[in-house]
Amino acid sequence: MAATFPALIQPRLLAALQASSVADLLPDGFMPSVDPAQNPQFGDYQTNAAMVLAKQAKKNPRELAAEIVEKFESDNLTETPEIAGPGFINFRLKKEVLEQRTLDLLADSDRLGVDKVADPKKIVIDFSAPNVAKPMHVGHIRGTIIGDSLSRVADFLGHEIISDNHIGDWGTQFGMILYGWKNVLDEKALEADPVPELLRVYKAINQLCEDEPELRETCKAELVKLQSGDEENLKIWEKCVEVSKIGLQKIYDKLDITFDHWLGESFYNDKLQPLVDDLLERKIATESDGAVCIFFPDHKKLADQPPAIIQKGDGGFLYATTDLATIDYRIKEFGADTLWYVVGIPQQLHFDQLFEASRMIGNDVELQFIPFGSILGKDRKMFKTRDGDTVQLDDVLNESVARAYKIVDEKNPDFPEEEKQEIARTIGIGAVKYSELSQFRLTDYIFDWDNMLALKGNTAPYLLNAYVRTRAIFRKMGSDFEGTDVITLTEAAETTLALKLAQYAEIVPMILSDFRPNTLATYIYELATTYHKFWEACPVLKADGDVKATRLALCELTGRVLKHALSLLGIQTTEKM
Ligand code: ARG
């Protein structure tokens, strides 16, 4: 595939700058920026280079812009650039260029114009990571959906991506679980549906501990027994982990999410003591008040914070110890050069310390903390159920599908039952994912069923409906898209759509620059509205000849890009709705 339009304009613009009176001001390796035009009336792309350089040279920006335009050799890529406002230079692509690009995109059905990165990395992505026998709550919803989308994008861009679900399967919660298992477990309920029963047990003991704080010691004793290898407790623990994994897997299946590995915290148990010993020996860790700690006296941000504790006075290890062992494993066993952690913002300090400790250890690896904010209820407080309980991901999914079913059933009462259910599933799951991914990850967003499932606006149902529309044309015509050798863009709505389609190649690589799937969501929404305008302005089946062929091609290509872009968000499409 040819380069993106900004990448084609840039060298031509650079040559013009080098031939201009500000040539001396250009630093080595300089590349002027070229962005989509803010106002499409003036052009397709724009640059502010003349304004930036005029300021440095103390020149009149519009005059400098005129000089640059004069020197600009378009080489049949664009019309003569135009100057707008305080000194923007606007570029409009030649119609033939956009027509040829549309043909190229039609032929490039796998990549739709998106190039692979030049420097693929080997990335381990750590996301979701719920805690066994504790509810997978809304905080985990965000990480699970964002992490999955980032994996899909990185994979498509040619990185080697290894997903690892670092579940919390060795936490202090097992003290209460073990005590509960021995005292309040309902075996029948466990057999019927283990995850809710484990949760009930956990909550029941948690409550008991509130009422009788002495019980905490008993629970702690169970935990210590487990940690020192007591056979009975190990068996119960194993069983808990096993049934929890099965329960989690069911949720991931609903979400169409898979992991390459599930190396939970317990996987690292036997690696912790050797790690601590080594760090002590290398003087990276020190003993302090009986505990083993890592101090960060030379670190600007961390120096004033408490140290990272990696072994308690009683010999127990901590979250940070496991994470240090995990980094080591991922580098040595997976050969990773990059580690991504998609975890909530409250863990910022933990990851700052972890990354700094890793640097002190001398690990050669790029570490990225990719945090996210919270989900709020309509009252702008933490999202809770009506009874004030934490909201569970599985319940959210089920309710979303049930609500989507109502919409599908109202619109298409005559669809076969199975089809209605299938469509409801696609819309319901897609709506949960899209309401997450259309937000910037650090924004605290308000969970609102009505907004999520609305048929109009920036929602999954609206986007899925746009896709359905691209498909409906071919159903009406009675045949699939048959290809075309000619594209002739005659109407403005066609040109705008063709340009938008070509810009998919510009958007996808941008997602990873700051880990923002919402950049892609915005693009999909804009593509859908652009298509909608085209659809209203340009009759397809009633047109003839090349015009009809062009319009069919634009419908086909829009369908392909919508489907592909949604798939990068982990959202499936439906042919009808
Ligand atoms: N289990 C943790 C939690 O629920 C998240 C783990 C994130 N990954 C990691 N390597 N620390 O808060």
Side-chain angles (χ1 to χ4, degrees), residues 126 129-131 140 166 168 265 319 323 341 343 347 350-351:
D126 181 320
N131 301 315
H140 294 116
H166 187 77
E265 293 178 9
Y319 189 48
D323 258 328
Y341 295 87
V343 185
Q347 295 193 28
H350 167 74
F351 283 98

Side-chain angles (χ1 to χ4, degrees), residues 129-135 167-181 198 201-203 205-206 219-220 222-223 226-227 237 240-241 244 265:
N131 301 315
V132 166
K134 275 184 161 176
I167 55 171
D169 59 0
W170 195 253
T172 47
Q173 74 264 36
F174 281 102
M176 285 191 250
I177 296 284
L178 285 162
Y179 176 81
W181 185 284
L198 279 184
V201 168
Y202 173 76
K203 281 190 191 161
I205 303 302
N206 210 4
C219 292
K220 211 172 159 196
E222 292 291 356
L223 183 66
L226 171 71
Q227 287 168 340
W237 167 78
C240 286
V241 174
S244 295
E265 293 178 9

Side-chain angles (χ1 to χ4, degrees), residues 387-522:
D387 326 325
D389 247 346
T390 26
V391 177
Q392 302 238 23
L393 175 52
D394 201 31
D395 295 339
V396 170
L397 297 179
N398 291 341
E399 174 150 3
S400 189
V401 173
R403 285 175 183 250
Y405 181 87
K406 264 201 197 144
I407 298 173
V408 178
D409 191 40
E410 257 162 45
K411 269 187 82 186
N412 315 288
D414 308 331
F415 278 11
E417 182 56 30
E418 210 166 291
E419 192 174 349
K420 281 193 273 193
Q421 284 186 16
E422 184 61 26
I423 297 173
R425 207 185 46 76
T426 305
I427 298 177
I429 303 288
V432 173
K433 289 190 178 185
Y434 191 76
S435 72
E436 171 59 54
L437 295 171
S438 54
Q439 308 284 333
F440 175 46
R441 58 187 161 75
L442 281 169
T443 311
D444 294 340
Y445 74 92
I446 296 180
F447 193 93
D448 180 345
W449 288 115
D450 296 329
N451 280 347
M452 243 167 82
L453 286 158
L455 287 164
K456 287 214 178 84
N458 190 5
T459 65
Y462 174 74
L463 301 180
L464 292 172
N465 200 35
Y467 174 74
V468 165
R469 225 176 241 183
T470 66
R471 304 301 304 147
I473 287 206
F474 295 100
R475 261 202 310 280
K476 206 164 161 197
M477 191 169 82
S479 66
D480 275 343
F481 178 66
E482 281 159 2
T484 178
D485 298 335
V486 208
I487 294 287
T488 49
L489 299 169
T490 50
E491 296 288 327
E494 297 168 335
T495 314
T496 312
L497 180 57
L499 178 65
K500 198 85 211 163
L501 289 164
Q503 288 173 339
Y504 189 48
E506 296 162 36
I507 293 295
V508 178
M510 277 166 43
I511 303 169
L512 295 187
S513 64
D514 193 25
F515 307 100
R516 290 177 183 245
N518 63 312
T519 325
L520 179 60
T522 304

Side-chain angles (χ1 to χ4, degrees), residues 217-464:
E217 288 310 309
T218 320
C219 292
K220 211 172 159 196
E222 292 291 356
L223 183 66
V224 171
K225 265 171 79 184
L226 171 71
Q227 287 168 340
S228 51
D230 174 81
E231 216 156 289
E232 186 193 5
N233 280 11
L234 268 176
K235 271 224 174 80
I236 298 174
W237 167 78
E238 241 167 45
K239 183 88 193 149
C240 286
V241 174
E242 187 193 305
V243 298
S244 295
K245 277 187 179 169
I246 295 173
L248 287 171
Q249 186 61 53
K250 278 194 199 148
I251 300 180
Y252 295 130
D253 287 346
K254 273 188 202 166
L255 288 165
D256 184 28
I257 290 177
T258 52
F259 292 92
D260 298 312
H261 301 277
W262 287 60
L263 302 182
E265 293 178 9
S266 70
F267 176 79
Y268 299 93
N269 282 352
D270 63 351
K271 301 175 176 59
L272 303 182
Q273 191 63 60
L275 177 110
V276 171
D277 293 344
D278 179 58
L279 293 184
L280 275 171
E281 192 172 318
R282 290 171 59 193
K283 306 235 164 11
I284 292 170
T286 36
E287 282 196 45
S288 167
D289 288 336
V292 182
C293 304
I294 303 181
F295 290 89
F296 307 97
D298 305 328
H299 190 281
K300 249 193 259 142
K301 235 165 88 189
L302 297 174
D304 306 332
Q305 300 280 350
I309 304 176
I310 57 173
Q311 187 161 26
K312 287 187 291 191
D314 65 8
F317 301 105
L318 295 101
Y319 189 48
T321 332
T322 315
D323 258 328
L324 280 174
T326 308
I327 292 182
D328 190 51
Y329 189 86
R330 288 173 178 171
I331 296 172
K332 293 205 178 103
E333 298 302 317
F334 292 148
D337 51 47
T338 306
L339 307 181
W340 289 352
Y341 295 87
V342 186
V343 185
I345 189 81
Q347 295 193 28
Q348 176 86 54
L349 176 62
H350 167 74
F351 283 98
D352 283 345
Q353 291 185 329
L354 184 67
F355 292 179
E356 182 58 14
S358 169
R359 199 191 55 74
M360 287 155 68
I361 290 169
N363 288 327
D364 180 21
V365 66
E366 183 194 322
L367 298 162
Q368 282 287 354
F369 177 46
I370 306 171
F372 51 83
S374 338
I375 306 183
L376 307 176
K378 273 194 177 163
D379 54 1
R380 303 210 105 261
K381 295 207 181 100
M382 269 303 191
F383 186 39
K384 290 260 153 98
T385 65
R386 242 178 246 128
D387 326 325
D389 247 346
T390 26
V391 177
Q392 302 238 23
L393 175 52
D394 201 31
D395 295 339
V396 170
L397 297 179
N398 291 341
E399 174 150 3
S400 189
V401 173
R403 285 175 183 250
Y405 181 87
K406 264 201 197 144
I407 298 173
V408 178
D409 191 40
E410 257 162 45
K411 269 187 82 186
N412 315 288
D414 308 331
F415 278 11
E417 182 56 30
E418 210 166 291
E419 192 174 349
K420 281 193 273 193
Q421 284 186 16
E422 184 61 26
I423 297 173
R425 207 185 46 76
T426 305
I427 298 177
I429 303 288
V432 173
K433 289 190 178 185
Y434 191 76
S435 72
E436 171 59 54
L437 295 171
S438 54
Q439 308 284 333
F440 175 46
R441 58 187 161 75
L442 281 169
T443 311
D444 294 340
Y445 74 92
I446 296 180
F447 193 93
D448 180 345
W449 288 115
D450 296 329
N451 280 347
M452 243 167 82
L453 286 158
L455 287 164
K456 287 214 178 84
N458 190 5
T459 65
Y462 174 74
L463 301 180
L464 292 172

